Every structure is written in C-alpha cells, then in structure tokens.
Amino acid sequence: MRSLLLGFVMACFASLATLMAQAQITTGVIQGVVVDSSGAVLPGVDVTIVNPETNLTQSRTTDGEGRFVFLQLPPGRYTATFRLSGFGTIAQQGIDLTVGQAVSLNPRLSVGNVAEVVTVTGTPVVETARTASATTLNQLTVETTPILGRKFEDLLTLTPGVSVTQGPDGDEITFAGQRGVFNNISLDGGDFNNGFFGEQAGGQRAPVDITLEAVQEFQVIASGAPAEFGRTAGGVVNVITKSGSNAAHGSLFHFQRLEALTGQLSDGTTLDNFHRQQFGGTFGGPIRRDKAFFFGAVEGISGDFQRQNLGRAIGTPCPVAAPTIAQNAALLGSSADCQRVALLNFFQTRLGQNEAVPLDHPLNTVALLLKADTNISSANRLATSYTFNHSRKKNETFDVSTYGASANGTEGDPARINVGNANLFTTLASNKLNELHLTYSRETRPRTADPSNLAADTGIGFAPSFRFGNPFFLQPNVAELVWRTQLKDNFSIVKGGHTVKVGGEWMHTLNDQVFRGFFTGRYLFDSVVGFLRYTSPAAAGGFGPFTAGCSNGSYVTLPASCPAGSTPSGGPLLFYLQGAGRTGLATDATGASNITNEETSLFIQDQWRAGSRFTLQYGLRWDAQLMPATVDPTTTAFARFLKDPRFPSDGTIPDQKAMWQPRVGATWNVRADGRSVVRASAGVYFARQNMLSQVGSVTTNGLQQQSIFVSTDNIRQFGAAPPTWPGVLTPAPVAPGQFPLFTGVRVFSRDYKNPRTYTFNLGYEQELIPDLAGYADYTYAAGRQLTRFINYNRADAGSPFSPFLDETMVTTSLGRSNYNGLTLGLRKRFSKGYQLEANYVLSQDKDDDSNERDPFTDRAFNFNNLSLDYGLSDRDISNRFNLFGYFQVPGGFQFNARAQARSAQPITPSPRVVNGVDLGRNTLRKDNAYFSFDWRLSRPFRFRSGVEVVPTAEMFNTFNNANNINPLSTPALFNFDGFLRTGVGDPRQMQLAIKLTF
C-alpha cells in the first residue's frame, strides 16, 4: 500500500511539473488594475517592474479587464512603470515587497504625452488581497529590534496572536493558543523542523539556529493560512534569508555582555562570572553582474556563567551542621535548608560526591549561511542556500537551584544542523509559472550526562524538590540523528481574475538513535526523611528498601502494618521506573530504534479577484503521514489482550491517509480605495505527529524493551521486589515467548487520528492617515483529536491487564481545546524617520490536556471521566501587549524601543482535592507574569570610502522585573521533561556592540 501511495504521489509530481502553479512561500506578488481618469479599465498597458539592486526586470501587458500580475518576485524594493499610447507614463517607485505579500497597485493613467512621466512613491499600507491573519517583519525590524540572545524566534512575539509561554520543555511558541509542536517553520521555502521533537531545528538547545545577520525578513501566519501551507494545526513561520546584489557589501560585528553590566537577579543573587560574546560578519555581491549573486554570513557565540545551586542556603540557614534522622527528624521535616545539608552530607559520605560545587554553563556555537542566486535565463532563476549550526552547551539540561551537580548534562556534544535548499523558478509563459524545490537536512543531537558517581536519576521531596544523578534520558548519553529529504513542485496559472495554484510534496524523515532512558533507573521519594530511611541498612522500625510510611508520620518495615488508627501513606518510594530487556538488563540494542515517516501532500487553490472590491480565496489540501512499522503484535507482551475489547490497541501505529483540509478566505475592499478592508477566513488544519510520541510504541513492547515499575504500595500489596538504591533490578529469566509479570508497554490507540484544528478569523483594517493603519481581529480555533497519553492499566481503570502488564501507556486522540482571541493594533510603516507597531490581545484558551509531547506522563485526573480535566490551558495568557518602534532622532542617533507584557499562566491547586471537593484543573494563576522594556541606541558614523561604523548600546529588562519562570504543570518531583528551568528570570542586562559595514 505504501509503495502504491508513493507511486501515485510521484506521478502527480510529474504532471504538476508541466501543468500547474507556484505558491508564494519564498516570494511575493505585485498585481493590480490599471484605469483611466474616469475609472474605466485600460487593456493593453505595458507594465514593467525592476529591482534596482539586481536589475531583475519583468514585463506584462494588462488583460481585457486592465489586470496585471507578477508572481514569484524575490522580496525587495521595486519600481513599476505603466505605458500606453496616448496616455502619460506613470513610474511608481519604492514598492517594498515582502515575503508572502501581494502588493496591489491601482495606477490611474491620464490622457497626455507618452513622454511625460509622473513619478509616485510608496506601497499601500493596507494589503487588500490578503485573507489570512498574517504579519511580515521587514528587514529594518529584524536588524534593529533589541533581542536578548539575537535569536530570530524571539521576534515572533512582536506579531499579534503569537506568544511564548513557559512550558515544561522550555519556552513554547504558540499561535492562537495551539500547541507548539503544531507549528511549521520554513527556511527559504524548505522544512526547518526537527521531526523527532516536533519543534524548529535546534529547538531550545541551540543558542542560535540561524544567524540573525542572515535573515532578511519573515512572515508569520497566525491563522487562516491558505491551502498551500500544510502539516500544521498551529502557525506558519516563513523565513527568508538575504541575497547578494550588483553591489558588493559586507559587515563585521561584535556584541558583548559582561557581569559588570548585569544587575542582580530579583532574588538578590547574581550571575557569577557572566560573559557572553556574539561576533561575526557578512559579505555579498555579484558573481556576474545582473546574472549571479552570492551572500554569506557567519556568527560565533561563546560565554559562561556560574550558578551556586545547592552551595547556597535555602531560606533560613540550618542551625545544625550535620542533621540526621536519628537526632533531627523534626527539623528535617520542617527546614528546607536542613534537608539540603543532610543530603549533601549523605552524598559526600556515601558516594564521595560533592553535590554543592558551583555549576559553570559554558556555551560555544557557530552558525553559518551561504547563498547563491542565479538568473539562468530570462525564464529560469535558481536560488540555493546552505545553513550550518554547531552548538555545545554544558550544564544546560537543567537550571534548577535545588538540583545537585550530578543532575545535569551537556546539550549537544556537539549538536550539528545541516540544511540545504534549492528553488528553481521557471516562467513557462507570461501567465504560467513553476517552482521546483528540494531540501536536504541532517540534524544530530548527542546529549551526555555530567560525569558522576551516581547513575540513578533520584528525585526527593515536593517542596523543595531535590534531584541527583544522571537524568533518566541521559544514562549516560543519547545519540540522535534526524535526516530529512523534501521534494515539492508548485505551479501557477493566471487566467482573468483567477490565480490558480496546484502543488504536491513528498517528505522522507528518518530518526536513528539509541535511547538509554531509565536504563539505570529513576527513583522518586516523597521526602528527605523517607529517602534517608530507605537508603539505610535494613532494620525494623522503618529502615531499608522495605520501609513504608504511615499517615501519622511514623514508619514501619514491611510486612509490618501501620499503627492502629493510621493508614499507609504510599511512601517513601512513590515511583521507580527502569528500562530493561525481556530477560536481562538493558543493552544498547534494547534502546536502539531506526524509524521513518513518509509524508505526502497535494493541494489546489484559487484566488479570484472578483472586481475591484472583492477577493475570494478557496482551496483544498490533502496530507498523509505514514507511520513506522512495529513488530508483529502477536509476539509482544500484550499479545494475550489483542482480542480483549478493553485493550485499546491492535499493536500498530495507524497511518494517517485521510487528512482532507478545505479552506476559504475573502477580502472586501470596502470603499474600493485600498484604505479599508474586511478579511475573513475559515479552514481545517491537521498537525503531523512527532516521532518522540511514536518511538516508544516501536521499542517498549516487552519484546525489545520492557518497563519495570515498583513503588512502596506495590511492594506492600503484591510483594514486589524493591530495588536497592542506587542499583537496578535484574529481570528474572523467562522462557522464549513468555514475559515477566508487570511488564510495562507503550502502544497507539487503534482509533488514533492526527490532531486537527478548525479555525475562523474575522478582521478589519483601516488606513487612518497615510502610512498608519489600525486593525481589529477575532480568531476562534477549536482543537480536536488532540494527543493524550493515558495509562489504561491505572488503578481507577480497574488495572484490567494486571498482573501480566503494568503501565500500559496509550497514545490516544481524546483531547480537545477551544481558543477565542481578540486583537487590537496600530501599525505605522516607516516614513518621516520612524516606524511603530502596537498590539493588544485579549484571549481565553481552554483544553483538557496541554501535554505537548511527554509520552511518559498520564495527566488525566480521573480515567473514568476525562471531562473533569477541561479547563484553562497551561498556555492560557489572557492579556498580552506588545509595542516596538524605530526612530531616527536628532544628532544622527537611531533609537529602538520594545515593551512586552503578558499576564500569568494558570496552575492546578495542589492538592487538587480538599475535603472531598475537586478544586478543578488550572483554577489558580502562577507567579510568572511578565514585563520587559528593552531599548537600543546607535549612532552611525559614515566615511567617504563607503565605510560605516555603528556603535550601539542595548538594555534588556530595564526595570529589572522578576519575570519568574515556572513552567511546571505537575509537581516538580514528577517532571519527566528533557529540559527544565525554574526560578527568577533574566536580570537587567546591558549589551555593547560595534558594527562595521562596507
């Protein structure tokens, strides 16, 4: 079936290459209608557009209705000239065309001397043909907006409908309330996503994935994307890199931050030994004038800072130098700092390990872009680019003050990203154009645990929550490769008022890794006292691995019972999870996987300009995602349950072949003057499923790998053998075809469907005065079939598969969400020495599970009533405000300002049930409201030789707001994410820079 589907798609490509039309993903459009002084349309007008920097020239003749369209134009500044015998000539200069934009011109020719040329300047401030809720950040914004870290993704929050929320695996980019893994990032027309994690290439790990100096501009589509955009139920980010021109230009730059230019954190601590340098340069120019051009950019990043972590007291210092459970049990139960001291003494004595050493956080990154543009002929243009990133960040896995020195790792050892893109633009006729695109990408993300004497990932206590040992996903390391090939072809044909676009795409993704997760075990203890008792030599009275806690605070050694009037508390060992082979300890073969996804797409859409006021865009998209194969389900640990109606899976990962997505949008040019427009769009959008969610169902089947789960409760109830900390359990040998009891497995539901979002958007934009527009926008997005990870063998499910299976984690499509958002904004295009934009978003985001991609955690409150989880989403930010601007001020100075504010995210009360009353999910707010005012002041000094030197000063978080970081949606003890930072946010920082251009 897969070969038949692939053959069908490739056959479609063959026909598309000669029949159909290109989407404006890397380019823009200049279009319009030419009329005379009375408003009557003028056919036969010769229209010529020229890009003065590259001398790119194209000509068209208006049709019988006075229309003209130029497709596939590279972003840049153009001049358009209109000539017709018997009429005066008009030259419209300074037409700024951005990526994905359709600039509509409406020139009015007057009867007169053809030699007379009337010159007008500028681009309409209101885009009358755009139906989607989209924003383009131009080159001026990209180059001058102050950005801490100079990562282009940080500019996304400047656009309406987009926010960065604190998630458990780092900051999440969310569009209209949707999950971050639903987004689609495009670089020069090619896929720029990590297929395994479902985020942009590099994700949160790389300090910079694309050097900012290489970015010309990017388009952000928050909702309402037309059919040409796919594999996303969230937003689209379309990044275009710079190109060379007929003039040779270059730059050198250096940005510097230092501890002496950094304020204290809001908790009174400092970033010790802090320094960060970002440096590099660009150069571009002609290879052959008017024919071929090149551009290159490189950026290096180095730096370091130091955290004291457990080397600093927690609150009031402990009054005892060496607290013990025998002498200071009450103090250990009440003093967080005494808990810290006791644990430090324990690890030093037991393992000879100092968990309080300060942690350095050095980083080293290099980002490179090389690009070439070639005008092969008047009908063919080739654009190629290569992006490279090399990154290594030590002690970057966790940044939590109560984690020991052993609980960390190196992100990227080193990580590398290689992406190559090629776009061939072909003009088959004046109204027929084609684009053929190829992307090859390869990303490696090796991650290594910090060297230590403790292999077991050990979590202790709730408040505070301590952690020691190798992170469970780095035991001791993980080597991961994501390789992707993308081929697509799009063709456009213009006929009268219709611009028809048809396209197809094939994408192959391979993930090859050895995941040694839980190979040396993960222990979670309810308290420091409980941990110290569990790790003590076995003895009566609650010492050793058979220790059990009681509700009155006492401890017993099993099989002894709790004192009369008390009940078991469930501790001290709340959770032990170990990855193992079927008959022995885990080996690399146990965690090895090599899985592939095949994705195919077809779309057709039409933009119909029905007169001077109305534009209708409608289309249909089909996506398919073929999932990796699994082993024969009848050979697995769950084989005996395949015919049990209670078992939700058939052992396979269902292919997704029916993702049909109709979309429609319309604009109404209210007064036919291009100054006011009403926009509306609606559509269906399917997300792809990331490979992180898939791989467990390939490997954790009991045959290749099993999960061993132990807790004090199942030791007490079933007599399970407890692990001796910090060791692991060796599975008992079993005969071929048999499996140990309580084997943990991971499967997909037989009814699984990829997530989908239904969106509706309604907006109004009005030019208030020349170059200034106001806008209002409403968006509704309903997420359905959202992925939820649910353990179908939970106690409240009746443990139907015990004792043969233990945790039976099922990837389901049972989630749902609803988002409502209202945006109000002002946009001032650059003129008269300044540009400015401000926007405010009032929104509500609800769902029943906000889990992005953590396949290890079941967040359901009640297995039998999942609707009890429906409430505010973890991503809900009810109020957001953005203001940014660029100003040319007296004395030749240039000033930029950026203000961001957002309200706090919700959190579930802990405990959720008080006196038998369910307080509900996410009914409280965290203390993580955010406000930052950033500014930049620069002064160019120009010399006759064409050299310009620009010294710059930037300040971030000017008022030193706390901006606390609290991404947790579950107690920290039960966090299973691969990246975690908590505490106070970045302090006030000054950055000095110097830039030389030539």
Side-chain angles (χ1 to χ4, degrees):
M1 182 64 186
R2 291 180 183 227
S3 61
L4 288 175
L5 182 61
L6 182 59
F8 167 73
V9 173
M10 297 308 292
C12 289
F13 280 151
S15 62
L16 288 172
T18 58
L19 291 178
M20 321 222 171
Q22 195 271 323
Q24 306 298 323
I25 293 179
T26 62
T27 58
V29 175
I30 295 178
Q31 62 185 12
V33 177
V34 184
V35 298
D36 64 16
S37 57
S38 69
V41 299
L42 288 175
V45 178
D46 294 325
V47 185
T48 302
I49 60 102
V50 178
N51 182 324
E53 290 190 349
T54 62
N55 204 30
L56 174 67
T57 303
Q58 293 188 18
S59 297
R60 301 283 186 272
T61 301
T62 59
D63 63 14
E65 297 179 350
R67 294 191 179 97
F68 66 92
V69 178
F70 294 89
L71 303 176
Q72 294 184 351
L73 295 177
R77 175 164 288 190
Y78 288 84
T79 296
T81 305
F82 305 88
R83 293 184 176 89
L84 180 64
S85 178
F87 290 82
T89 298
I90 290 181
Q92 185 158 351
Q93 300 176 346
I95 303 170
D96 289 319
L97 180 66
T98 57
V99 61
Q101 183 184 24
V103 173
S104 296
L105 306 178
N106 296 288
R108 187 179 294 265
L109 301 188
S110 299
V111 175
N113 184 355
V114 71
E116 179 184 356
V117 178
V118 177
T119 301
V120 294
T121 60
T123 307
V125 69
V126 176
E127 192 177 347
T128 58
R130 173 173 54 83
T131 60
S133 176
T135 302
T136 298
L137 298 181
N138 60 22
Q139 188 169 339
L140 181 63
T141 301
V142 172
E143 289 183 346
T144 64
T145 301
I147 309 171
L148 183 65
R150 291 172 46 79
K151 192 170 185 177
F152 90 89
E153 289 92 335
D154 293 336
L155 287 169
L156 295 178
T157 57
L158 300 178
T159 61
V162 182
S163 62
V164 173
T165 61
Q166 295 173 9
D169 201 28
D171 288 343
E172 300 168 4
I173 303 169
T174 175
F175 293 74
Q178 303 310 299
R179 298 181 179 184
V181 293
F182 291 174
N183 301 330
N184 193 344
I185 311 296
S186 170
L187 174 67
D188 287 336
D191 189 273
F192 196 69
N193 302 282
N194 180 287
F196 185 77
F197 290 102
E199 60 189 2
Q200 72 271 25
Q204 304 299 326
R205 274 69 177 180
V208 166
D209 37 35
I210 308 168
T211 171
L212 196 64
E213 297 295 317
V215 177
Q216 176 171 327
E217 60 194 29
F218 57 89
Q219 180 191 36
V220 179
I221 305 177
S223 65
E228 63 194 275
F229 295 95
R231 301 183 311 280
T232 173
V236 175
V237 180
N238 193 9
V239 183
I240 299 300
T241 57
K242 295 177 181 177
S243 296
S245 65
N246 277 325
H249 293 288
S251 67
L252 296 171
F253 62 89
H254 184 97
F255 290 79
Q256 183 71 59
R257 283 183 277 159
L258 296 168
E259 181 179 0
L261 300 175
T262 303
Q264 282 191 339
L265 282 79
S266 59
D267 62 0
T269 62
T270 59
L271 290 178
D272 298 336
N273 302 325
F274 172 67
H275 63 94
R276 180 159 172 156
Q277 302 77 228
Q278 295 185 241
F279 47 88
T282 67
F283 187 66
I287 300 173
R288 181 181 176 189
R289 188 172 180 82
D290 296 343
K291 294 294 185 180
F293 313 92
F294 72 94
F295 179 82
V298 63
E299 181 168 354
I301 306 174
S302 63
D304 197 0
F305 70 92
Q306 191 178 84
R307 299 274 199 200
Q308 298 300 316
N309 287 5
L310 291 180
R312 180 180 284 119
I314 303 175
T316 304
C318 183
V320 179
T324 64
I325 53 175
Q327 301 295 324
N328 312 101
L331 195 58
L332 286 173
S334 61
S335 169
D337 196 57
C338 287
Q339 295 173 17
R340 177 187 70 90
V341 174
L343 289 172
L344 293 177
N345 290 340
F346 172 85
F347 286 105
Q348 185 67 57
T349 302
R350 183 77 168 262
L351 299 176
Q353 185 158 298
N354 183 1
E355 293 284 357
V357 295
L359 282 185
D360 288 310
H361 294 255
L363 65 90
N364 289 280
T365 295
V366 175
L368 171 71
L369 172 93
L370 299 174
K371 188 174 184 182
D373 297 271
T374 305
N375 297 322
I376 300 173
S377 67
S378 60
N380 294 277
R381 181 170 61 88
L382 177 66
T384 59
S385 65
Y386 169 69
T387 303
F388 172 75
N389 185 281
H390 175 287
S391 176
R392 189 176 191 272
K393 299 169 71 178
K394 186 177 180 182
N395 292 324
E396 196 67 21
T397 304
F398 298 132
D399 190 3
V400 183
S401 62
T402 56
Y403 283 14
S406 61
N408 225 312
T410 297
E411 295 296 322
D413 206 13
R416 292 186 176 94
I417 303 171
N418 291 271
V419 180
N421 288 300
N423 292 277
L424 177 63
F425 303 94
T426 301
T427 301
L428 303 174
S430 62
N431 67 332
K432 299 180 180 69
L433 301 98
N434 191 83
E435 179 192 11
L436 180 65
H437 176 91
L438 174 67
T439 293
Y440 174 85
S441 64
R442 181 183 175 94
E443 180 176 359
T444 57
R445 282 195 188 183
R447 309 168 70 191
T448 306
D450 284 354
S452 76
N453 298 325
L454 176 59
D457 188 342
T458 306
I460 305 168
F462 287 92
S465 185
F466 300 94
R467 191 167 180 174
F468 306 89
N470 292 349
F472 70 87
F473 46 88
L474 303 178
Q475 296 187 341
N477 55 53
V478 60
E480 180 209 343
L481 164 68
V482 176
W483 169 69
R484 174 167 281 172
T485 302
Q486 177 189 27
L487 175 67
K488 63 181 178 180
D489 190 87
N490 302 317
F491 176 94
S492 299
I493 183 168
V494 179
K495 183 81 172 171
H498 294 270
T499 302
V500 179
K501 305 178 181 180
V502 184
E505 180 178 359
W506 168 74
M507 186 181 298
H508 168 84
T509 307
L510 178 144
N511 176 260
D512 188 0
Q513 68 168 308
V514 177
F515 179 64
R516 301 174 181 89
F518 305 102
F519 277 19
T520 56
R522 185 175 191 192
Y523 290 82
L524 301 181
F525 296 94
D526 64 352
S527 65
V528 173
V529 170
F531 168 74
L532 294 176
R533 284 179 170 272
Y534 186 98
T535 55
S536 298
F543 295 95
F546 285 94
T547 297
C550 302
S551 59
N552 65 355
S554 65
Y555 291 86
V556 298
T557 300
L558 297 174
S561 299
C562 287
S566 65
T567 57
S569 67
L573 182 62
L574 300 178
F575 178 98
Y576 172 79
L577 187 63
Q578 177 188 337
R582 187 177 68 87
T583 60
L585 295 177
T587 64
D588 280 1
T590 309
S593 64
N594 186 299
I595 63 174
T596 62
N597 278 190
E598 306 289 344
E599 297 177 78
T600 51
S601 305
L602 295 171
F603 80 87
I604 181 170
Q605 69 183 41
D606 177 27
Q607 185 182 72
W608 176 34
R609 288 165 290 149
S612 60
R613 293 193 178 192
F614 188 72
T615 300
L616 178 66
Q617 184 162 277
Y618 50 96
L620 178 66
R621 184 180 184 89
W622 171 78
D623 287 331
Q625 183 178 10
L626 304 186
M627 304 296 193
T630 59
V631 299
D632 181 356
T634 62
T635 64
T636 64
F638 53 81
R640 68 175 65 238
F641 298 108
L642 288 173
K643 296 183 179 180
D644 187 331
R646 298 171 300 175
F647 194 74
S649 177
D650 61 8
T652 68
I653 306 177
D655 290 332
Q656 304 298 301
K657 303 176 184 177
M659 294 188 285
W660 295 97
Q661 301 156 81
R663 301 176 191 176
V664 63
T667 65
W668 177 37
N669 186 351
V670 179
R671 298 182 182 88
D673 59 2
R675 299 182 63 233
S676 55
V677 63
V678 176
R679 296 188 182 91
S681 64
V684 180
Y685 299 83
F686 273 90
R688 53 159 58 120
Q689 180 58 272
N690 61 79
M691 293 170 128
L692 174 59
S693 302
Q694 302 168 22
V695 69
S697 297
V698 175
T699 60
T700 310
N701 46 37
L703 191 66
Q704 177 176 339
Q705 184 177 153
Q706 64 161 315
S707 297
I708 300 174
F709 174 78
V710 180
S711 67
T712 297
D713 267 347
N714 69 15
I715 296 172
R716 177 177 55 82
Q717 295 177 34
F718 303 108
T724 300
W725 184 92
V728 295
L729 293 170
T730 300
V734 293
Q738 296 183 6
F739 300 90
L741 296 178
F742 299 105
T743 295
V745 298
R746 301 183 183 277
V747 294
F748 264 66
S749 168
R750 62 170 59 88
D751 300 320
Y752 173 81
K753 302 293 183 185
N754 273 7
R756 70 173 71 177
T757 302
Y758 302 90
T759 69
F760 170 75
N761 179 267
L762 178 64
Y764 177 73
E765 187 172 2
Q766 173 69 54
E767 181 181 324
L768 304 175
I769 58 176
D771 298 323
L772 176 66
Y775 56 89
D777 185 278
Y778 168 74
T779 298
Y780 170 70
R784 298 296 182 263
Q785 300 176 177
L786 303 185
T787 303
R788 295 194 73 174
F789 303 100
I790 300 176
N791 177 11
Y792 272 59
N793 205 32
R794 293 165 40 146
D796 61 351
S799 302
F801 314 122
S802 296
F804 301 102
L805 301 179
D806 194 69
E807 180 184 73
T808 304
M809 192 65 80
V810 182
T811 304
T812 75
S813 301
L814 299 176
R816 63 188 178 101
S817 69
N818 290 286
Y819 171 88
N820 288 273
L822 174 66
T823 300
L824 302 174
L826 287 171
R827 181 181 298 117
K828 165 65 172 63
R829 190 177 53 193
F830 180 74
S831 65
K832 300 180 180 179
Y834 76 101
Q835 72 175 22
L836 182 71
E837 180 154 357
N839 54 71
Y840 167 75
V841 179
L842 175 66
S843 65
Q844 184 183 68
D845 184 15
K846 287 189 166 186
D847 67 11
D848 51 15
D849 193 336
S850 300
N851 188 349
E852 291 266 336
R853 59 180 181 216
D854 173 9
F856 306 110
T857 305
D858 176 357
R859 298 187 182 182
F861 175 68
N862 185 327
F863 177 87
N864 300 297
N865 188 357
L866 298 178
S867 65
L868 294 177
D869 291 319
Y870 188 74
L872 292 175
S873 162
D874 293 353
R875 295 177 296 276
D876 179 68
I877 297 177
S878 54
N879 297 275
R880 295 192 298 275
F881 175 76
N882 284 302
L883 171 69
F884 60 98
Y886 167 84
F887 308 88
Q888 294 176 347
V889 294
F893 288 92
Q894 299 170 353
F895 179 73
N896 294 78
R898 178 184 185 182
Q900 301 177 85
R902 56 180 181 262
S903 53
Q905 295 171 234
I907 192 170
T908 301
S910 183
R912 176 169 166 171
V913 178
V914 177
N915 298 323
V917 178
D918 178 13
L919 301 180
R921 171 176 169 264
N922 281 344
T923 53
L924 301 177
R925 291 281 175 177
K926 301 177 182 179
D927 181 23
N928 69 342
Y930 181 91
F931 177 80
S932 181
F933 177 72
D934 309 331
W935 57 265
R936 169 186 176 123
L937 184 65
S938 58
R939 172 62 164 88
F941 292 91
R942 298 177 177 89
F943 302 90
R944 290 184 178 179
S945 59
V947 174
E948 183 176 84
V949 177
V950 187
T952 299
E954 296 177 319
M955 181 172 283
F956 306 95
N957 193 12
T958 301
F959 304 110
N960 209 27
N961 294 84
N963 294 335
N964 294 326
I965 299 172
N966 181 7
L968 297 170
S969 56
T970 61
L973 180 65
F974 291 99
N975 181 266
F976 279 82
D977 296 295
F979 173 88
L980 184 63
R981 179 187 176 189
T982 64
V984 297
D986 293 318
R988 177 194 301 115
Q989 297 182 57
M990 174 73 80
Q991 180 166 260
L992 302 179
I994 187 76
K995 187 172 185 178
L996 172 72
T997 63
F998 53 91

